[in-house]
Structures are given as structure tokens and as C-alpha cells.
Amino acid sequence: MPMTIVHYSAPTGKVSTTSSYSRPVRTFTTRRWQDAINKVSLNLRGRRTSGSTRGGSFHSDSEEAGDKLPPVKYENTFRLDPTSRFPTKRAEDIIKSVFQTHLADKYNPDTSKALTTQITEVIKTQVKQELGTKNRFKIVVLVMIGSVQGQGVRSASRCLWYPQFDRFASYSYNNEHTFAVGTVFGVYYE
């Protein structure tokens, strides 16, 4: 069975390994040897520079990768309530401003599907920007657009709800040709 022996020369600061075949495999400087030990002690994966299991050597990733640190792993916070409430008034103002900018024209049934999708995406992105990046609210946006022809319309929504944290904002828009109803739900996600 082949054996690998590690030799350390104190005056020169060189470390070399030899196999049972008495030939040097790889020469390390003290710094590279310490880097290799540190990588192993941090339980990081190194890679072998040779395909052979007998003559391969540990090669530090810090030489090629530019001393990259391992990715940080975050633990659960177990937070059960939000740090701030869902901004219902601000969400209602966002719906109102988007409706006023996008629905000024006459109702067109051919483009209403694409317009509804576009308005929904604009409202959702603006509400998410208002909330910031560190929130746990799931945003659901519903938009309904139709033509005014003397008819009545009722709209209803259902979902599981925790009234202490979950909120919604709704706004209805009317002009002589078009009506629109927009609703934004902010559901807290633990």
C-alpha cells in the first residue's frame, strides 16, 4: 500500500511530500501549507490537481478565485409578526395614480387584456418599492377594467386572512367610457 510522507525543513521553510516510491510529489512553501490547513479546518472543499488519488495534492482555491470567502448562511429569525404595517393609504394612492395615467383614453376591448396586465405589473412593482426589500408581505394585485354602458358590476374576493397583520387597499376609477377597480392585498408571510 503506498504511503505519503510529509517532510518539513525548518531552515528553508519548505514542506515536501513523498510517496512510498521515494519521489517528491509537490513542494509547498510554509504559507501555502498553512493556507491548505486553514481550508481543510474550515471544512471547505478543495480540489485535486491530479486525477490520481496517490500522487494528487491539495490545491488552495484562494490562488485562482482571488481570496473569495464562502457564502454567508443565514439562520431563521422565527419572527411571527411584521416590523411595520402594510401601507394601505400609500397603496391606494399608487392605484389611483396608475389608473389616472393609463386609463385616460377611450375603452378598447381589443387592448384591455394587455392593458390590465400592464397596470397590474406597474402597481405591484410600485407597491413593492414602497415596502422596501426587507419585508415579508406577499403582494397580490387584482385589476378589473370594463366599459361604461349603464350596467352594474359586483366584484368579490376571498382568501385566508389574519386580520391583525394582513391588509388590503382598493380604489375604483370611473370616467365617461371606462371603469376600473384595483385591489392590492398585503398578506404577511411568516
Side-chain angles (χ1 to χ4, degrees), residues 15-49:
V15 175
S16 64
T17 58
T18 57
S19 66
S20 61
Y21 301 111
S22 299
R23 66 177 176 85
V25 176
R26 176 79 184 211
T27 302
F28 288 104
T29 62
T30 305
R31 176 170 161 68
R32 289 192 64 208
W33 184 257
Q34 289 172 346
D35 286 345
I37 291 171
N38 289 339
K39 288 281 185 177
V40 170
S41 68
L42 288 174
N43 202 11
L44 298 176
R45 290 186 193 151
R47 62 177 178 84
R48 294 197 167 268
T49 56

Short mmCIF file of all heavy atoms in Angstrom, two decimals, residues 15-49:
data_model
loop_
_atom_site.label_atom_id
_atom_site.label_comp_id
_atom_site.label_asym_id
_atom_site.label_seq_id
_atom_site.Cartn_x
_atom_site.Cartn_y
_atom_site.Cartn_z
N VAL A 15 8.04 22.64 2.77
CA VAL A 15 7.39 21.40 3.13
C VAL A 15 7.26 20.59 1.85
O VAL A 15 6.82 21.10 0.82
CB VAL A 15 5.99 21.65 3.73
CG1 VAL A 15 5.29 20.34 3.99
CG2 VAL A 15 6.09 22.48 4.98
N SER A 16 7.67 19.32 1.90
CA SER A 16 7.53 18.48 0.73
C SER A 16 6.91 17.16 1.14
O SER A 16 7.02 16.73 2.29
CB SER A 16 8.89 18.26 0.05
OG SER A 16 9.75 17.55 0.92
N THR A 17 6.24 16.54 0.21
CA THR A 17 5.63 15.25 0.46
C THR A 17 6.26 14.24 -0.48
O THR A 17 6.60 14.56 -1.62
CB THR A 17 4.11 15.29 0.24
OG1 THR A 17 3.88 15.70 -1.10
CG2 THR A 17 3.45 16.23 1.20
N THR A 18 6.43 13.04 -0.01
CA THR A 18 6.94 11.96 -0.86
C THR A 18 6.04 10.77 -0.69
O THR A 18 5.40 10.58 0.34
CB THR A 18 8.39 11.56 -0.47
OG1 THR A 18 8.39 11.18 0.90
CG2 THR A 18 9.35 12.69 -0.69
N SER A 19 5.97 10.00 -1.73
CA SER A 19 5.18 8.78 -1.66
C SER A 19 6.11 7.63 -1.35
O SER A 19 7.31 7.80 -1.19
CB SER A 19 4.44 8.56 -2.99
OG SER A 19 5.39 8.29 -4.00
N SER A 20 5.57 6.44 -1.27
CA SER A 20 6.38 5.28 -0.94
C SER A 20 7.35 4.94 -2.07
O SER A 20 8.23 4.12 -1.90
CB SER A 20 5.49 4.09 -0.63
OG SER A 20 4.72 3.78 -1.77
N TYR A 21 7.18 5.58 -3.21
CA TYR A 21 8.08 5.35 -4.32
C TYR A 21 9.31 6.25 -4.24
O TYR A 21 10.11 6.28 -5.14
CB TYR A 21 7.37 5.58 -5.65
CG TYR A 21 6.17 4.69 -5.81
CD1 TYR A 21 4.90 5.21 -5.78
CD2 TYR A 21 6.33 3.32 -5.98
CE1 TYR A 21 3.79 4.39 -5.94
CE2 TYR A 21 5.23 2.49 -6.13
CZ TYR A 21 3.97 3.03 -6.11
OH TYR A 21 2.88 2.23 -6.25
N SER A 22 9.44 7.05 -3.18
CA SER A 22 10.58 7.91 -2.88
C SER A 22 10.82 8.97 -3.95
O SER A 22 11.93 9.28 -4.31
CB SER A 22 11.86 7.09 -2.70
OG SER A 22 11.72 6.21 -1.63
N ARG A 23 9.77 9.55 -4.44
CA ARG A 23 9.94 10.69 -5.34
C ARG A 23 9.10 11.84 -4.80
O ARG A 23 8.01 11.63 -4.28
CB ARG A 23 9.55 10.35 -6.77
CG ARG A 23 8.11 10.05 -6.96
CD ARG A 23 7.83 9.79 -8.44
NE ARG A 23 6.44 9.41 -8.61
CZ ARG A 23 5.44 10.27 -8.75
NH1 ARG A 23 5.67 11.56 -8.76
NH2 ARG A 23 4.20 9.85 -8.87
N PRO A 24 9.60 13.08 -4.88
CA PRO A 24 8.82 14.19 -4.37
C PRO A 24 7.57 14.41 -5.22
O PRO A 24 7.63 14.35 -6.43
CB PRO A 24 9.76 15.39 -4.45
CG PRO A 24 10.93 14.94 -5.22
CD PRO A 24 10.90 13.46 -5.35
N VAL A 25 6.44 14.65 -4.56
CA VAL A 25 5.19 14.85 -5.26
C VAL A 25 4.93 16.33 -5.47
O VAL A 25 4.66 16.78 -6.56
CB VAL A 25 4.02 14.22 -4.47
CG1 VAL A 25 2.71 14.50 -5.15
CG2 VAL A 25 4.25 12.73 -4.35
N ARG A 26 5.04 17.11 -4.40
CA ARG A 26 4.75 18.53 -4.51
C ARG A 26 5.49 19.26 -3.42
O ARG A 26 5.55 18.78 -2.28
CB ARG A 26 3.24 18.75 -4.35
CG ARG A 26 2.74 20.13 -4.35
CD ARG A 26 2.64 20.66 -5.74
NE ARG A 26 2.23 22.03 -5.70
CZ ARG A 26 1.52 22.62 -6.63
NH1 ARG A 26 1.14 21.95 -7.66
NH2 ARG A 26 1.22 23.88 -6.53
N THR A 27 6.04 20.41 -3.69
CA THR A 27 6.73 21.21 -2.69
C THR A 27 5.86 22.42 -2.36
O THR A 27 5.43 23.14 -3.25
CB THR A 27 8.10 21.67 -3.22
OG1 THR A 27 8.85 20.52 -3.57
CG2 THR A 27 8.84 22.47 -2.17
N PHE A 28 5.61 22.62 -1.07
CA PHE A 28 4.81 23.74 -0.60
C PHE A 28 5.70 24.70 0.16
O PHE A 28 6.60 24.29 0.88
CB PHE A 28 3.73 23.27 0.39
CG PHE A 28 2.61 22.51 -0.23
CD1 PHE A 28 2.53 21.13 -0.11
CD2 PHE A 28 1.62 23.17 -0.91
CE1 PHE A 28 1.49 20.44 -0.66
CE2 PHE A 28 0.57 22.48 -1.46
CZ PHE A 28 0.50 21.11 -1.34
N THR A 29 5.41 25.97 0.06
CA THR A 29 6.02 26.92 0.98
C THR A 29 5.19 26.88 2.26
O THR A 29 4.10 26.34 2.30
CB THR A 29 6.01 28.35 0.39
OG1 THR A 29 4.67 28.73 0.20
CG2 THR A 29 6.79 28.41 -0.91
N THR A 30 5.73 27.47 3.33
CA THR A 30 5.02 27.45 4.61
C THR A 30 3.67 28.13 4.49
O THR A 30 2.67 27.66 5.02
CB THR A 30 5.88 28.15 5.69
OG1 THR A 30 7.15 27.53 5.71
CG2 THR A 30 5.23 28.05 7.05
N ARG A 31 3.59 29.23 3.77
CA ARG A 31 2.34 29.97 3.63
C ARG A 31 1.29 29.12 2.90
O ARG A 31 0.15 29.05 3.32
CB ARG A 31 2.57 31.27 2.89
CG ARG A 31 1.30 32.05 2.61
CD ARG A 31 1.62 33.44 2.09
NE ARG A 31 0.52 34.06 1.41
CZ ARG A 31 -0.59 34.45 1.97
NH1 ARG A 31 -0.78 34.26 3.25
NH2 ARG A 31 -1.55 35.03 1.28
N ARG A 32 1.67 28.46 1.81
CA ARG A 32 0.71 27.64 1.08
C ARG A 32 0.27 26.46 1.91
O ARG A 32 -0.86 26.03 1.86
CB ARG A 32 1.31 27.17 -0.24
CG ARG A 32 1.44 28.33 -1.23
CD ARG A 32 1.76 27.91 -2.61
NE ARG A 32 0.68 27.11 -3.14
CZ ARG A 32 0.86 26.18 -4.06
NH1 ARG A 32 2.06 25.93 -4.53
NH2 ARG A 32 -0.14 25.50 -4.53
N TRP A 33 1.19 25.91 2.70
CA TRP A 33 0.85 24.78 3.57
C TRP A 33 -0.16 25.23 4.64
O TRP A 33 -1.14 24.55 4.91
CB TRP A 33 2.12 24.22 4.21
CG TRP A 33 1.87 23.01 5.03
CD1 TRP A 33 1.83 22.94 6.38
CD2 TRP A 33 1.61 21.71 4.57
NE1 TRP A 33 1.57 21.68 6.79
CE2 TRP A 33 1.42 20.87 5.68
CE3 TRP A 33 1.50 21.13 3.30
CZ2 TRP A 33 1.15 19.54 5.59
CZ3 TRP A 33 1.23 19.79 3.21
CH2 TRP A 33 1.05 19.01 4.34
N GLN A 34 0.07 26.42 5.20
CA GLN A 34 -0.86 26.92 6.22
C GLN A 34 -2.21 27.26 5.59
O GLN A 34 -3.26 27.04 6.20
CB GLN A 34 -0.27 28.15 6.91
CG GLN A 34 0.89 27.79 7.83
CD GLN A 34 1.58 29.03 8.36
OE1 GLN A 34 1.38 30.12 7.86
NE2 GLN A 34 2.41 28.83 9.37
N ASP A 35 -2.19 27.79 4.37
CA ASP A 35 -3.46 28.05 3.68
C ASP A 35 -4.23 26.76 3.45
O ASP A 35 -5.45 26.70 3.64
CB ASP A 35 -3.22 28.73 2.33
CG ASP A 35 -2.81 30.18 2.47
OD1 ASP A 35 -2.99 30.74 3.58
OD2 ASP A 35 -2.33 30.75 1.48
N ALA A 36 -3.51 25.72 3.06
CA ALA A 36 -4.18 24.44 2.84
C ALA A 36 -4.75 23.88 4.13
O ALA A 36 -5.87 23.38 4.16
CB ALA A 36 -3.20 23.43 2.22
N ILE A 37 -4.03 24.00 5.21
CA ILE A 37 -4.53 23.53 6.51
C ILE A 37 -5.74 24.34 6.93
O ILE A 37 -6.73 23.80 7.43
CB ILE A 37 -3.41 23.59 7.58
CG1 ILE A 37 -2.35 22.54 7.26
CG2 ILE A 37 -3.97 23.38 8.97
CD1 ILE A 37 -1.12 22.64 8.11
N ASN A 38 -5.70 25.66 6.73
CA ASN A 38 -6.84 26.51 7.08
C ASN A 38 -8.07 26.14 6.27
O ASN A 38 -9.18 26.13 6.79
CB ASN A 38 -6.50 27.98 6.89
CG ASN A 38 -5.53 28.48 7.93
OD1 ASN A 38 -5.39 27.89 8.99
ND2 ASN A 38 -4.84 29.56 7.62
N LYS A 39 -7.90 25.86 4.99
CA LYS A 39 -9.03 25.49 4.16
C LYS A 39 -9.66 24.19 4.65
O LYS A 39 -10.87 24.06 4.71
CB LYS A 39 -8.60 25.32 2.69
CG LYS A 39 -8.28 26.59 2.01
CD LYS A 39 -9.53 27.29 1.60
CE LYS A 39 -9.14 28.51 0.79
NZ LYS A 39 -10.24 29.22 0.28
N VAL A 40 -8.81 23.23 4.99
CA VAL A 40 -9.34 21.96 5.48
C VAL A 40 -10.01 22.15 6.83
O VAL A 40 -11.07 21.60 7.11
CB VAL A 40 -8.21 20.90 5.56
CG1 VAL A 40 -8.69 19.66 6.29
CG2 VAL A 40 -7.73 20.56 4.18
N SER A 41 -9.42 22.98 7.69
CA SER A 41 -10.01 23.17 9.02
C SER A 41 -11.33 23.93 8.94
O SER A 41 -12.17 23.78 9.81
CB SER A 41 -9.03 23.91 9.93
OG SER A 41 -8.86 25.24 9.49
N LEU A 42 -11.53 24.74 7.91
CA LEU A 42 -12.81 25.42 7.74
C LEU A 42 -13.83 24.51 7.07
O LEU A 42 -14.95 24.92 6.81
CB LEU A 42 -12.63 26.68 6.87
CG LEU A 42 -11.92 27.85 7.54
CD1 LEU A 42 -11.69 28.96 6.53
CD2 LEU A 42 -12.72 28.36 8.70
N ASN A 43 -13.41 23.27 6.78
CA ASN A 43 -14.28 22.28 6.18
C ASN A 43 -14.77 22.72 4.81
O ASN A 43 -15.92 22.51 4.44
CB ASN A 43 -15.45 21.97 7.09
CG ASN A 43 -16.05 20.63 6.77
OD1 ASN A 43 -15.47 19.86 6.02
ND2 ASN A 43 -17.20 20.34 7.34
N LEU A 44 -13.90 23.39 4.06
CA LEU A 44 -14.21 23.78 2.70
C LEU A 44 -13.67 22.73 1.75
O LEU A 44 -12.71 22.03 2.05
CB LEU A 44 -13.59 25.14 2.38
CG LEU A 44 -14.08 26.29 3.22
CD1 LEU A 44 -13.31 27.54 2.87
CD2 LEU A 44 -15.55 26.52 2.98
N ARG A 45 -14.25 22.64 0.61
CA ARG A 45 -13.79 21.67 -0.37
C ARG A 45 -12.65 22.25 -1.18
O ARG A 45 -12.77 23.31 -1.75
CB ARG A 45 -14.92 21.30 -1.33
CG ARG A 45 -15.99 20.51 -0.68
CD ARG A 45 -16.95 20.08 -1.74
NE ARG A 45 -18.14 19.58 -1.08
CZ ARG A 45 -19.32 19.63 -1.60
NH1 ARG A 45 -19.50 20.12 -2.79
NH2 ARG A 45 -20.34 19.16 -0.95
N GLY A 46 -11.58 21.53 -1.23
CA GLY A 46 -10.50 21.86 -2.14
C GLY A 46 -10.65 20.99 -3.36
O GLY A 46 -11.58 20.22 -3.48
N ARG A 47 -9.74 21.07 -4.28
CA ARG A 47 -9.80 20.17 -5.42
C ARG A 47 -8.42 19.60 -5.63
O ARG A 47 -7.41 20.19 -5.27
CB ARG A 47 -10.30 20.89 -6.65
CG ARG A 47 -9.42 22.02 -7.10
CD ARG A 47 -9.98 22.62 -8.39
NE ARG A 47 -9.17 23.73 -8.80
CZ ARG A 47 -8.05 23.64 -9.51
NH1 ARG A 47 -7.61 22.47 -9.90
NH2 ARG A 47 -7.37 24.70 -9.84
N ARG A 48 -8.37 18.46 -6.23
CA ARG A 48 -7.09 17.83 -6.50
C ARG A 48 -6.58 18.30 -7.85
O ARG A 48 -7.34 18.46 -8.79
CB ARG A 48 -7.22 16.32 -6.47
CG ARG A 48 -7.55 15.82 -5.09
CD ARG A 48 -7.25 14.34 -5.03
NE ARG A 48 -7.25 13.90 -3.66
CZ ARG A 48 -6.18 13.85 -2.90
NH1 ARG A 48 -5.02 14.23 -3.36
NH2 ARG A 48 -6.25 13.41 -1.67
N THR A 49 -5.26 18.52 -7.91
CA THR A 49 -4.68 18.97 -9.17
C THR A 49 -4.36 17.80 -10.08
O THR A 49 -4.08 18.00 -11.24
CB THR A 49 -3.38 19.77 -8.91
OG1 THR A 49 -2.50 18.95 -8.16
CG2 THR A 49 -3.69 21.03 -8.16
#
